[in-house]
Amino acid sequence: MNGNRKNIYLILGLIIIFYGLSFPASVYDWTGNLYEMIEDSILYNDAGLLLKASFFYITWNVFTFMMIYSGSMLMAMAVSTDKNSPYYQLSFALIVLLNVFIYNMIYSEHESFLLHMVISAAFLLLQLFIPKQPFSVLPQLIILFLILVSFSWLDLSPGLTRADLGSDDFAASLKVADSYLSEYKILNNLSLSFFFVFSILSLIFTVLIYLFSKQILTIKKVQKQEKELKETRDALLETNVYKEIHTLVHDLKTPLVTVEGLISLLELKVTQDEKASTYFNKINAATAKMKEMISEILSEDIKQEIGVEDFIGYVTSHISFDHVQIDFNLTIDEHVSPIKVNKIRFARALSNVIENAMLSLGDQKGYIHLEVEGIDNGVLFRVEDNGPGIEKRNMNKIWEEGFSTKNSSGVGMPFVKQVVENHQGAIRVSSIPNEKTTVEIFLPY
Amino acid sequence: MKKYYGIFILSCLAVIVGIYQSATGVKEYTPMWPNLPAPIGEEPILITSAGQGAEGAVVHLMVKRLNLNADYRPRALATDLYEYKTIILYTGFSKNGVNKTYRDFQEEKTRIRRMITYANHNQIPIILIHLGGPMRDDRRTMDLVREALPYSNYFIGKRNMVQGKDILDITENNRLPITLVSHTKDILTPLNSVFR
């Protein structure tokens, strides 16, 4: 998790906790009415009024602590986002208890630490069953709400007063009123009933969310497996295609040998004609070239020495620069020594880089600079264009097979990298979006 | 298993705190009176609060049930005492109750101190009632009890208070009669014995 997200959780948590802690102060008038309601329930011997006051108290209590707990949850997430981690769990409990302490200090209250320990433990336990998914915060908040409602009712249980539960002002006042009105019968029944109802609701809700998340996870797993299967199938298909091409190229050798043999026979027969002799020489040179090309395609390790200017000439002869909008500029260092490369494959690699630059420019006006310079122990090929460039988030993906932003096959750059590495070279790509993109290929001597 | 570590530690801590809370305090008091053997108070009576807790309404109703001539004035001052012959002071600090009087805790404490001084000076008996029991034995309520109890003439309270030992010590040291009841309505008998 990056620092920025941590800070956001921390600040957001603090803000929510601040609202939670200041909520009772902002509703002083309303809570004044609640206090009067409790007094009136005694004076008028009105159990209905006591019930109403109890519901108001629970609402007020849940609202206050809902904010404190959700703020604490966010702050604990700044420590660790992993809900299964003891660091997260203990941080959450510690922040909650610290806030209960602050709350008691600010409002001269007597909120029970024990109750909040139990609430924290119950919430953390149920939280373990909510898998991490998008929008999983909402079910967590609903569970927190149900737990808070259920345990807030325990605050009103007279039987638990000895364990320091419900010693805050309103809870104590309500219990004192009930001790006179019904000898605790009303609050005992009410608090335990609501506690069990809301506890069961929170359990049922957690189970439902757990099962639902499991189902989603299973669907996602199946989808992932299907995707992997498709990728494997495609890869297999691709391998078969390459194998067939390889076989076809290999098979070209046989007719070529036949042509070569027959040409030499013809050459023996037609010895007097000078013009024919020139043609035979040209045919021989062409067949030799074809044999050489076939060999280079079939074996990556076959390399030949070639002058840089000849090599670049060979590369550019395969690319059409008729595009009027592109300004192609070529600079070759005069003192560059000849290079030893697999001509066909290395030329294809460099063409790929130039074609990518052309593709990125599209119909827009721009430039492509191809620069070749000799450095200490090798040659540096630099292709620079001023197209839209590559976004930072995609920079690492360009080496992955199948990645493309232009709906192409996405094998271009991985192929370039593979060829360069086969020549013990190195490739580096840098881009400033909408300014320039530079591809540098270093080839050692 | 690691994912349960935090919850396990927290649960153990909660159990320890729970056991500690339940175990503290004195549950039974031996040297106490079921009610006063002879009346010590006379009418008219002032019922007033120390801490502005809602339990004042309960005391007021109890006194009414006993058909005693009493005024329920939770915010009464020392200057109001001249017309009364007995004071019933009920303790219980309520933050919301005190807020309603536009006073703070210290001002409330000062008001009580002045009333007690006046009552002692004029030999007006003070009956101290603490109805909150374990629900109202917070630090501030106990401050008010300690302020008033040594100068009172009779204490009626509830059993099972966490701070019960302190109260017992003060009553013993000041040779005060004390009655502790289990249920709220049980205070009718000792209260009646104060006047009849």
Side-chain angles (χ1 to χ4, degrees), chain A residues 35 89 107 162 169 173 179, chain B residues 3 24 52 94-96 184:
Chain A
Y35 182 81
Q89 295 169 350
Y107 297 108
R162 282 287 308 169
D169 186 16
S173 303
S179 74
Chain B
K3 63 181 179 178
T24 49
Q52 306 297 326
S94 161
K95 175 203 66 175
N96 293 288
T184 302

Side-chain angles (χ1 to χ4, degrees), chain B residues 11 15 28 30 37 42 60 63 69 76 86 95 106 109 120 123 126 128 150 152 154 157 160 167-168 174 196:
Chain B
S11 306
V15 169
E28 290 301 327
T30 38
E42 281 178 68
H60 175 52
V63 171
N69 177 15
T86 308
K95 175 203 66 175
Q106 282 309 323
K109 213 167 150 181
N120 275 222
Q123 293 184 328
I126 299 171
L128 196 69
S152 304
Y154 184 35
N160 295 331
I167 292 175
L168 192 64
N174 292 280
R196 291 159 186 152

Side-chain angles (χ1 to χ4, degrees), chain A residues 83-255:
Chain A
K83 304 266 182 337
N84 298 346
S85 144
Y87 296 113
Y88 166 80
Q89 295 169 350
L90 293 176
S91 310
F92 172 75
L94 201 73
I95 297 166
V96 166
L97 294 178
L98 187 73
N99 280 302
V100 171
F101 176 75
I102 296 169
Y103 175 86
N104 283 346
M105 287 292 112
I106 297 174
Y107 297 108
S108 312
E109 268 296 2
H110 203 240
E111 268 293 329
S112 164
F113 287 99
L114 173 66
L115 181 72
H116 290 286
M117 277 184 205
V118 176
I119 293 176
S120 302
F123 175 60
L124 288 170
L125 185 68
L126 295 188
Q127 211 179 23
L128 290 181
F129 296 94
I130 309 292
K132 199 175 178 183
Q133 300 235 1
F135 309 112
S136 66
V137 174
L138 187 66
Q140 284 177 48
L141 289 178
I142 294 173
I143 290 171
L144 177 64
F145 170 77
L146 292 171
I147 289 176
L148 276 175
V149 174
S150 100
F151 281 91
S152 292
W153 276 107
L154 278 193
D155 253 348
L156 294 182
S157 169
L160 293 168
T161 310
R162 282 287 308 169
D164 205 29
L165 263 70
S167 316
D168 61 286
D169 186 16
F170 283 130
S173 303
L174 282 163
K175 284 190 263 192
V176 166
D178 188 40
S179 74
Y180 174 72
L181 292 173
S182 72
E183 289 294 351
Y184 299 129
K185 280 191 190 83
I186 296 173
L187 285 184
N188 251 337
N189 293 329
L190 202 68
S191 61
L192 291 177
S193 309
F194 277 105
F195 167 71
F196 283 118
V197 166
F198 279 94
S199 297
I200 291 165
L201 272 178
S202 61
L203 282 175
I204 292 172
F205 185 77
T206 310
V207 170
L208 284 176
I209 291 292
Y210 176 73
L211 293 175
F212 181 67
S213 304
K214 275 264 171 203
Q215 207 171 359
I216 288 177
L217 280 177
T218 314
I219 291 168
K220 274 187 181 170
K221 215 173 171 180
V222 170
Q223 280 174 345
K224 198 183 164 194
Q225 279 171 346
E226 275 174 3
K227 198 183 165 195
E228 279 171 2
L229 198 68
K230 191 179 173 290
E231 278 170 4
T232 316
R233 245 187 244 141
D234 290 349
L236 193 69
L237 199 69
E238 202 176 343
T239 314
N240 287 340
V241 169
Y242 279 134
K243 265 185 192 169
E244 267 178 46
I245 291 170
H246 206 265
T247 315
L248 274 172
V249 171
H250 188 267
D251 289 352
L252 279 175
K253 269 183 160 182
T254 317

Side-chain angles (χ1 to χ4, degrees), chain B:
Chain B
M1 241 354 245
K2 200 181 156 193
K3 63 181 179 178
Y4 295 107
Y5 282 177
I7 298 165
F8 178 73
I9 295 169
L10 198 60
S11 306
C12 288
L13 211 64
V15 169
I16 293 166
V17 173
I19 292 170
Y20 174 78
Q21 298 281 6
S22 310
T24 49
V26 177
K27 293 183 181 176
E28 290 301 327
Y29 308 95
T30 38
M32 70 182 184
W33 302 59
N35 50 266
L36 284 178
I40 56 169
E42 281 178 68
E43 295 168 79
I45 308 156
L46 170 72
I47 304 166
T48 191
S49 165
Q52 306 297 326
E55 42 270 57
V58 177
V59 178
H60 175 52
L61 288 181
M62 297 281 192
V63 171
K64 265 173 87 174
R65 272 179 74 172
L66 293 170
N67 290 315
L68 295 167
N69 177 15
D71 286 336
Y72 175 48
R73 296 168 68 179
R75 304 174 198 180
L77 300 170
T79 48
D80 299 324
L81 295 183
Y82 65 93
E83 52 183 319
Y84 300 103
K85 288 185 176 168
T86 308
I87 300 169
I88 294 180
L89 189 65
Y90 60 90
T91 47
F93 173 73
S94 161
K95 175 203 66 175
N96 293 288
V98 172
N99 278 347
K100 269 181 68 185
T101 64
Y102 304 104
R103 294 192 194 110
D104 60 20
F105 176 69
Q106 282 309 323
E107 285 167 336
E108 176 74 357
K109 213 167 150 181
T110 310
R111 183 182 74 86
I112 301 304
R113 200 176 293 143
R114 283 182 184 155
M115 280 176 65
I116 289 167
T117 311
Y118 181 91
N120 275 222
H121 190 259
N122 292 285
Q123 293 184 328
I124 300 171
I126 299 171
I127 313 301
L128 196 69
I129 299 180
H130 185 61
L131 267 184
M135 291 165 280
R136 288 258 203 236
D137 56 4
D138 54 282
R139 187 172 54 83
R140 285 185 170 78
T141 300
M142 289 318 292
D143 264 7
L144 293 170
V145 171
R146 283 190 200 97
E147 190 74 37
L149 191 54
Y151 308 101
S152 304
N153 300 81
Y154 184 35
F155 177 79
I156 305 172
K158 281 229 171 152
R159 288 168 190 266
N160 295 331
M161 278 188 66
V162 177
Q163 310 276 1
K165 182 81 170 68
D166 286 3
I167 292 175
L168 192 64
D169 288 345
I170 298 171
T171 52
E172 266 181 3
N173 293 340
N174 292 280
R175 294 173 176 275
L176 287 179
I178 172 172
T179 299
L180 298 176
V181 296
S182 298
H183 305 290
T184 302
K185 283 179 181 168
D186 293 346
I187 70 160
L188 278 171
T189 310
L191 194 59
N192 191 36
S193 73
V194 174
F195 303 98
R196 291 159 186 152

Side-chain angles (χ1 to χ4, degrees), chain A residues 305-339:
Chain A
E305 200 169 85
I306 184 170
V308 171
E309 277 190 38
D310 289 344
F311 176 72
I312 296 295
Y314 178 75
V315 171
T316 50
S317 67
H318 288 84
I319 302 169
S320 165
F321 287 104
D322 295 340
H323 201 307
V324 286
Q325 303 277 31
I326 295 175
D327 171 24
F328 183 74
N329 193 297
L330 174 64
T331 317
I332 302 174
D333 189 350
E334 283 176 10
H335 310 292
V336 184
S337 308
I339 50 173

